Amino acid sequence: MRLLICDRPRAEFESPGVSALFDAAFCLEDVDDAPCPGVAGNRGETADRLAASLDGAGELWITSRSFCGQVSAPVMRALELARDGRHGDGRANKRALPERSLHVWLYGVDQNAYEEQGLARMLAARLAPELGANLAECRVVDRFDLRLFKQFGSLPHKGATSAAHIPLSPAPPAPAGTARSIALLDAGAPNDAARALLDDFEDALLAYDRLSSRALDAAKITEPPRFERLSCHGAKGAAGEAPDAGPALDALAACDTLVIGCPVQLGALPSRLVRTLQDWTAAPRLRGGMRVYAICTTNECDPGQAHLSLEVLRLFCHGNNLVWGGGLCVAGAAAVAAFARTERMGRKRRGCSEAIDRLIGAVRAGLSIADAARRFGSTDPLAPSNIINAPCALPAWAYKLMCARFTRA
């Protein structure tokens, strides 16, 4: 069975010579109004149909507009719905997934954008095992053309291995400036690790601000930092209208710093965050020059699984006149959420709390993580890449047992 998931209108694939190529297709109309994964409520019929189609597919074809190297919000939503419909919101047992081939076609990428092309192929290679697939090809083109579907195998193969030879240049240093108005964008679900880490970030920053009040008084800054809590929106509303981004943009326009908290799902940014960022950049009120940081969580034991998502955000900032300050990658998200109410500097939270404190130092000083590391004397080898790693609080075997217990519950 050959399955297609795309972000194009269904009418485009009903033309002669194309419709017969696929046994099942989920197009823009099928997923754009579906319930947003990760929020309360019934997953709906779309998730069940996607999960059933994915289980029976021997070939999975993904056609998507590129969002800084990863798939677009509608396609990402479809993949999240398929995952949730098959695994019931639990951790996927990748060994139980049938083997299939994965074909990824990303369009809308300038052929001179080598960083985005390389990142796209690395993300496709990361996505394949999450879907129980072997990556057969990843094609990155400048525009969508239906004629490509009539020429299977006619284009040169462009696999994921070539991406390793395309270096990603470091981000430029962020201009220094004390952060006094900070927006916290929550892209996670209620009671998950991303929200807990944003709460800890806010509480700890305010505590450190009070402790350093004398230094702030010397700089004639007497007011504590102001926080704005923002949430990601999902699919269209009941009336078929896009959510109003106006109130969030009004709040964001008054802030000098944005901190994004998001879970990394299927090796990429969640669809809620991608849609929100796309809607924000479509509005002319988004403040240019704002400093942007991120806290990414992953259910894996290796925080490196979230590094590519930080690269997506870095490319997004560079393309939208925003200043990328770096990000924190936190492994063992289930353990972070479970231990959120324990002592902050206790054994279960100390490593993550110290990583949050390093991020706070960069945010308060208005510096990138790399510049803050040079100024404050950090010896972390990842600091020049604007990355802070927080390893899982538990050994790998203990964390797997915890996740298995949560899945059974």
Side-chain angles (χ1 to χ4, degrees), residues 3 184 314 397:
L3 171 65
L184 302 179
R314 182 176 72 82
W397 64 268

Side-chain angles (χ1 to χ4, degrees), residues 65-403:
R65 178 176 294 278
S66 172
F67 174 78
C68 302
Q70 83 161 57
V71 297
S72 63
V75 171
M76 193 64 197
R77 180 181 299 109
L79 297 176
E80 291 168 350
L81 286 168
R83 175 207 59 193
D84 292 350
R86 192 182 195 283
H87 302 288
D89 298 325
R91 282 172 54 83
N93 181 7
K94 299 170 189 173
R95 295 181 179 177
L97 290 170
E99 280 295 322
R100 60 179 61 87
S101 61
L102 175 64
H103 305 257
V104 179
W105 289 7
L106 292 179
Y107 64 92
V109 181
D110 189 282
Q111 293 307 292
N112 293 322
Y114 300 113
E115 284 186 318
E116 186 171 353
Q117 293 178 37
L119 185 57
R121 294 179 181 123
M122 287 188 283
L123 284 166
R126 178 69 55 80
L127 176 64
E130 296 284 347
L131 299 175
N134 295 314
L135 182 62
E137 61 179 335
C138 177
R139 301 181 181 181
V140 184
V141 296
D142 57 350
R143 61 187 179 89
F144 178 77
D145 191 343
L146 273 176
R147 290 175 296 180
L148 295 178
F149 284 94
K150 301 178 182 179
Q151 306 175 38
F152 285 155
S154 63
L155 296 182
H157 178 269
K158 292 184 178 181
T161 55
S162 60
H165 304 291
I166 302 177
L168 297 175
S169 60
T178 305
R180 306 309 300 168
S181 184
I182 304 171
L184 302 179
L185 176 59
D186 183 5
N191 302 317
D192 74 351
R195 180 165 299 184
L197 291 172
L198 284 178
D199 291 340
D200 182 60
F201 175 88
E202 180 179 358
D203 294 342
L205 191 149
L206 290 174
Y208 293 137
D209 187 81
R210 289 192 296 268
L211 290 174
S212 59
S213 59
R214 293 182 181 177
L216 293 178
D217 289 341
K220 298 182 179 180
I221 301 176
T222 58
E223 293 294 328
R226 180 178 62 87
F227 285 90
E228 290 283 353
R229 282 280 187 162
L230 306 175
S231 297
C232 289
H233 53 257
K236 295 179 180 179
E241 298 178 352
D244 182 15
L249 285 170
D250 291 339
L252 194 64
C255 296
D256 52 52
T257 303
L258 172 64
V259 179
I260 300 171
C262 69
V264 173
Q265 301 170 342
L266 299 174
L269 299 176
S271 61
R272 297 186 300 279
L273 178 59
V274 174
R275 176 179 284 271
T276 299
L277 294 178
Q278 287 176 326
D279 290 347
W280 283 2
T281 54
R285 289 175 292 170
L286 186 62
R287 178 176 178 178
M290 176 183 292
R291 294 183 294 271
V292 180
Y293 304 84
I295 301 174
C296 292
T297 64
T298 173
N299 269 327
E300 305 297 332
C301 294
D302 177 17
Q305 298 295 316
H307 287 183
L308 292 182
S309 295
L310 293 183
E311 290 298 330
V312 172
L313 289 173
R314 182 176 72 82
L315 288 183
F316 169 79
C317 291
H318 284 193
N320 291 279
N321 195 28
L322 303 173
V323 179
W324 174 240
L328 166 62
C329 299
V330 182
V336 172
F339 301 148
R341 297 186 180 277
T342 62
E343 185 179 353
R344 188 173 190 270
M345 284 298 175
R347 179 174 58 87
K348 297 176 180 178
R349 289 182 58 189
R350 185 179 184 89
C352 188
S353 298
E354 290 177 344
I356 287 284
D357 290 347
R358 289 180 55 197
L359 180 63
I360 288 174
V363 172
R364 290 190 68 209
L367 300 171
S368 68
I369 290 173
D371 291 337
R374 286 191 292 267
R375 181 169 297 187
F376 304 142
S378 172
T379 59
D380 187 344
L382 287 176
S385 301
N386 283 323
I387 294 175
I388 301 172
N389 271 347
C392 183
L394 297 174
W397 64 268
Y399 181 68
K400 292 178 181 178
L401 287 177
M402 169 186 280
C403 293

